[in-house]
């Protein structure tokens, strides 16, 4: 990040004694671009440069060593300033990267929390509903937290209630999706009650289907009919081996007592 590749260390600069000779030679020219232009080290290096410059460039021999040294000092100050500007830019880029990593981690954590809440809410609904208590509860347990859909808000800040777009799990059976949506509808019904008197607690946010597909991989080792049939049949031998589906199947139909 400077025009010099052989920069002295802070220890070398601190130990330098100008009464013992120059800090460097023409063959190994070393400026301390980290230090002040008029430090003992840089004054010594500037004198080395000025003598060498006047010897190598005859057309400038009308200039004194003092004039060349002054010009070089100004250039060194410019280089030092440019180095600091570049260092500031690098610090800013590192800070931006850390901020992005932190933001990404927070979003991932919020999604995970959402999955946890959704999973246990649906488990609670299945346990509370006698028509879902047997098969529905087992199906949700089999799906696990990773089987829940992600969502994102398309709500502009400060513009009414947020609406959350549900990401489609391209691998999951539509019947599974219908069953989970039935759990969500039952949850709303339980929250409102028969007289539309809402129960205590945060109100669930509005989730609507979207055309966006989830980028998360399919949950492995589920019963085979948990997967969408056309997707399941499209898998090659390697993909099927990685998925390791169970041979056992469940009745995924939403009970008539709920749909009716």
């Amino acid at each position: 990040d400077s025009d010099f590749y052989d920069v002295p260390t802070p220890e070398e600069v601190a130990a330098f004694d100008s009464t013992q000779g120059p800090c460097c030679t023409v063959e190994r020219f070393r400026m301390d671009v980290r230090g002040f232009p008029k430090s003992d080290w840089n004054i010594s290096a500037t004198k080395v440069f000025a003598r060498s410059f006047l010897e190598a460039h005859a057309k400038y021999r009308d200039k004194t060593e003092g004039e060349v040294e002054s010009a070089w000092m100004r250039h060194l100050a410019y280089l030092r300033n440019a180095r600091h500007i570049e260092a500031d830019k690098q610090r800013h880029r590192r800070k931006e990267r850390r901020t992005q990593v932190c933001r990404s981690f927070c979003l991932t954590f919020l999604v995970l929390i959402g999955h946890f809440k959704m999973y246990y809410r649906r488990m609670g609904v299945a346990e509370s509903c006698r028509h879902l208590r047997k098969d529905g509860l087992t199906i949700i347990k089999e799906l696990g937290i990773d089987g829940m859909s992600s969502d994102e808000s398309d709500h502009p800040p400060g513009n009414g209630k947020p609406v959350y777009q549900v990401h489609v799990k391209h691998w999951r059976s539509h019947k599974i999706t219908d069953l989970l949506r039935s759990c969500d509808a039952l949850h709303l019904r339980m929250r409102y009650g028969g007289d539309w008197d809402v129960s205590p607690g945060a109100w669930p946010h509005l989730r609507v289907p979207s055309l966006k597909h989830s980028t998360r991989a399919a949950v492995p080792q589920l019963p085979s009919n948990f997967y969408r049939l056309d997707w399941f049949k499209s898998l090659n031998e390697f993909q099927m081996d990685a998925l390791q589906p169970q041979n056992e199947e469940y009745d995924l139909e939403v009970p008539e007592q709920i749909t009716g």
Side-chain angles (χ1 to χ4, degrees), residues 9 34 38 42 44 46 49 57 73 77 91 98 105-106 115 121 137 142 159 161 169 187 211 220 236 249-250:
T9 65
R34 289 183 293 238
K38 292 190 177 181
N42 283 334
S44 176
T46 298
F49 169 80
H57 301 280
M73 279 290 186
R91 279 193 294 270
R98 287 195 297 268
F105 175 80
C106 289
H115 284 186
R121 185 181 72 225
L137 189 59
E142 286 282 356
N159 186 23
K161 297 290 185 181
K169 287 194 176 293
H187 175 65
L211 298 178
N236 58 38
E249 294 189 350
Y250 290 89

Side-chain angles (χ1 to χ4, degrees), residues 151-154 161-166 188 203-209:
D151 57 25
E152 65 179 22
S153 172
D154 65 356
K161 297 290 185 181
V163 175
Y164 291 82
Q165 303 283 340
V166 182
L188 288 176
W203 186 247
H205 58 232
L206 179 60
R207 305 176 81 239
V208 297

Side-chain angles (χ1 to χ4, degrees), residues 9-10 43 107 124 218:
T9 65
I43 289 174
L107 288 175

Side-chain angles (χ1 to χ4, degrees), residues 58-100:
K59 64 179 180 178
Y60 292 109
R61 286 179 183 164
D62 60 322
K63 304 294 183 184
T64 65
E65 283 191 17
E67 288 174 321
V68 176
E69 288 172 9
S70 295
W72 179 253
M73 279 290 186
R74 288 193 297 272
H75 181 61
L76 178 59
Y78 162 78
L79 291 176
R80 185 171 178 269
N81 184 55
R83 187 179 187 277
H84 287 169
I85 291 173
E86 180 59 28
D88 287 341
K89 288 180 180 178
Q90 289 182 4
R91 279 193 294 270
H92 179 72
R93 286 193 289 266
R94 286 195 294 269
K95 183 179 179 181
E96 282 293 311
R97 284 195 294 269
R98 287 195 297 268
T99 301
Q100 289 172 2

Side-chain angles (χ1 to χ4, degrees), residues 182 254-260:
S182 296
V254 179
E256 290 183 5
Q257 295 88 336
I258 296 176
T259 57

